[in-house]
Amino acid sequence: MTHFLDIRDFSKDELLAILAEARRRKAARAGRTKGAVDDDAPLAGYSLAMIFEKPSTRTRTSFDAGMRQLGGETLVFNSGDMQIGRGESIPDTARVLSRMVDSIMIRTHGHERILELAEYASVPVINGLTDLSHPCQIMADLQTLEEAKGRIEGLTIAWIGDCANVTRSWIEAAVILGCPFRIGAPKGYQPEDGIIAWARENGGDLFITEDPAEAVRGADCVMTDSWISMHHKPEEAQRRIDDLMPYQVNAALMARAKPDAIFMHCLPAHRGEEATGEVLDGPQSVIFDEAENRVHAQKAILVHALKGLI
Ligand code: CP
Ligand code: NVA
C-alpha cells in the first residue's frame, strides 16, 4: 500500500514510472468515448472515497472519471455531508472508511489533516490538495510538459506571482527531476524558507527574484496560479491583487521567455488578474491539456497506490 501525499516522497524513477503509466493509458484510449472502461479494467471491484473540505471542479471530476475508466467505483462526499464536518475525528473517519472502501482521496485545509488521515487509514490516501501542496496537479503538469516538449529533465520552469501549494509541489518535482526553477514574486509572496532550504539541500537549481522579466528569461514553460487561493482570507483579496498586479503574465512577459515557451495554469483562472485572456487563450497556452491530463495522471497514481492489491 502506497499513499500519495507529496511529490518529495517519491524517487525520480518512481515519478517517471507513474508518468509512463499515464502516457500509456492515455494513448491506449485514443478514439474511445470518455466513459469507456480501459481494456484491462485494473481496478474492477475496487472503490475510491473522495472527501472535499474545499470546492473543486477538476479534481472531483477527474478522479471520478479516472476511477470509472479503471473499472472502479467512487463515492464523493462534501465534508459538510459527513460527520467529519461536525467534529468526528480524523482517526475515527480514517478507520471507518478503511473498513468500507479501498482508497481515500481528500482535499482539505491544513496538511496535518491528511498526514493524520494517512497515519490511521489502512488503505491508500491520496492528496487532492491541502493548504501546503497539490501533488496530483503536478503529475498532470509534468505529463503536459513532456507532451509539449518531448522531455522533462533540463527544461527551465518559470513560476510567476503568488507562491502557494502548487508552487511548493512544483519545486519538489523540479528538484527531483532536474529542472531549473525560476521564481518571480514579490517579498511576502515567495516560498517559505523551509521549502527553499529543502530544495537547496537536495541539489535543486532554484532562482528567486522580485523581477518577473528576469524570472522568465530562458524559460521553456511559464506558470502561474490564482492570486487568491482557497486558504486565503477574502478580506486580503484586494491587497493581494494590488501587490501582485506587476506579476501578471501577459503577452509582454511571455515574449521575454523562450520563443517556443508554453504557458501553464492549474486553473481555475482569473482573466485579467494573474494572466491575461490573451495568454490563457493564446497559442502558447496548454491549460486544457493540463486539465485533461488530471484524468490520465491520476489513473496512474491510483494504479500505483493500489498495486499491492490488484
Ligand atoms: N486545479 C484544480 O485542482 O482544480 P479544482 O480546484 O477545480 O479541483
Ligand atoms: N492555489 C490554489 C490552487 C487551486 C487548484 C488554491 O489552493 O486555491
Side-chain angles (χ1 to χ4, degrees):
M1 184 187 80
T2 316
H3 297 309
F4 191 83
L5 302 181
D6 272 310
I7 296 284
R8 71 164 75 178
D9 301 336
F10 296 88
S11 67
K12 179 177 181 175
D13 285 350
E14 286 169 325
L15 293 176
L16 293 178
I18 294 170
L19 288 171
E21 172 78 2
R23 197 169 56 234
R24 192 182 67 71
R25 286 199 175 272
K26 183 174 183 178
R29 291 187 61 80
R32 307 192 68 179
T33 63
K34 295 180 181 66
V37 176
D38 290 0
D39 288 336
D40 59 344
L43 297 189
Y46 292 92
S47 56
L48 170 71
M50 293 187 251
I51 306 171
F52 286 95
E53 299 195 294
K54 290 174 177 174
S56 164
T57 297
R58 279 144 289 270
T59 305
R60 180 185 303 255
T61 314
S62 55
F63 266 108
D64 204 330
M67 190 65 183
R68 289 160 194 263
Q69 289 175 13
L70 293 167
E73 306 281 342
T74 57
L75 300 85
V76 190
F77 306 111
N78 294 321
S79 57
D81 300 332
M82 298 176 74
Q83 296 291 5
I84 199 174
R86 50 188 292 274
E88 185 170 14
S89 76
I90 289 191
D92 284 359
T93 304
R95 288 177 288 199
V96 168
L97 291 184
S98 295
R99 299 284 184 108
M100 300 176 180
V101 299
D102 301 298
S103 53
I104 303 169
M105 191 234 68
I106 186 166
R107 165 167 286 194
T108 188
H109 302 283
H111 200 69
E112 69 285 352
R113 290 177 71 76
I114 196 166
L115 296 180
E116 192 175 29
L117 191 77
E119 183 184 345
Y120 285 91
S122 54
V123 298
V125 172
I126 298 172
N127 180 355
L129 179 147
T130 69
D131 294 355
L132 195 73
S133 61
H134 195 6
C136 291
Q137 178 68 51
I138 277 55
M139 296 307 286
D141 291 1
L142 291 167
Q143 185 175 4
T144 311
L145 190 63
E146 190 175 44
E147 286 171 355
K149 296 286 169 194
R151 68 191 172 105
I152 294 171
E153 189 167 358
L155 292 175
T156 297
I157 313 296
W159 182 279
I160 305 299
D162 188 38
C163 298
N165 39 16
V166 178
T167 331
R168 182 187 183 90
S169 294
W170 244 111
I171 291 171
E172 295 181 2
V175 170
I176 295 167
L177 297 176
C179 297
F181 200 82
R182 300 171 68 83
I183 293 169
K187 291 263 183 306
Y189 294 85
Q190 295 177 356
E192 47 91 22
D193 293 346
I195 183 66
I196 296 172
W198 177 88
R200 301 233 153 100
E201 279 159 21
N202 286 278
D205 183 352
L206 190 64
F207 173 77
I208 304 175
T209 173
E210 290 188 70
D211 179 358
E214 178 61 16
V216 301
R217 199 148 61 88
D220 297 287
C221 174
V222 177
M223 272 190 292
T224 189
D225 187 6
S226 55
W227 290 341
I228 301 137
S229 281
M230 291 180 277
H231 59 274
H232 292 134
K233 295 187 181 77
E235 57 269 29
E236 291 174 5
Q238 194 54 53
R239 178 179 57 78
R240 298 181 67 83
I241 291 169
D242 293 344
D243 289 350
L244 289 162
M245 197 48 85
Y247 295 82
Q248 181 185 71
V249 181
N250 51 34
L253 189 64
M254 283 303 292
R256 291 175 170 266
K258 281 190 182 166
D260 62 350
I262 58 170
F263 171 76
M264 293 211 281
H265 187 312
C266 62
L267 305 180
H270 306 81
R271 286 169 173 75
E273 291 185 13
E274 71 272 13
T276 58
E278 190 181 9
V279 168
L280 282 155
D281 302 315
Q284 290 166 284
S285 172
V286 293
I287 58 176
F288 297 112
D289 294 327
E290 219 182 327
E292 178 189 329
N293 284 336
R294 294 293 302 277
V295 177
H296 308 296
Q298 288 159 195
K299 284 169 69 181
I301 291 167
L302 285 163
V303 169
H304 180 80
L306 285 159
K307 69 175 182 286
L309 301 175
I310 56 184

